[in-house]
Amino acid sequence: MILTYLSGIDLSCNNLIGEIPFQLGYLSNIEVLNISFNSTLTGPILLTFSNLKEIESMDLSYNNLNGKIPR
């Protein structure tokens, strides 16, 4: 599967709308996640982000998200 080799996702500045898809929290091998500057992203920060055991950098800035990033 190609996602086995994926180490980062950059979806910044894409005018994404709505809530963060919960499936992002199950990409356990991801080291970098950037979804910043999508000001119309709303809703809670996903509890499934606690599954991102390899994460080194996560940028959620400049969105309308609420809550805390889980451990």
Side-chain angles (χ1 to χ4, degrees):
M1 173 180 238
I2 192 70
L3 290 179
T4 303
Y5 305 104
L6 186 67
S7 64
I9 297 176
D10 185 348
L11 298 172
S12 62
C13 303
N14 276 294
N15 295 318
L16 300 176
I17 298 171
E19 294 187 359
I20 302 169
F22 73 92
Q23 293 89 342
L24 281 180
Y26 292 108
L27 299 175
S28 58
N29 293 329
I30 291 295
E31 297 172 3
V32 177
L33 176 62
N34 184 352
I35 56 173
S36 63
F37 290 94
N38 288 292
S39 60
T40 52
L41 271 182
T42 60
I45 295 173
L46 301 175
L47 292 176
T48 56
F49 280 173
S50 64
N51 296 322
L52 303 177
K53 302 298 184 193
E54 301 297 320
I55 202 78
E56 294 177 10
S57 173
M58 183 183 324
D59 190 347
L60 307 175
S61 62
Y62 296 96
N63 288 300
N64 288 315
L65 302 172
N66 57 61
K68 294 182 180 182
I69 297 173
R71 293 183 168 239

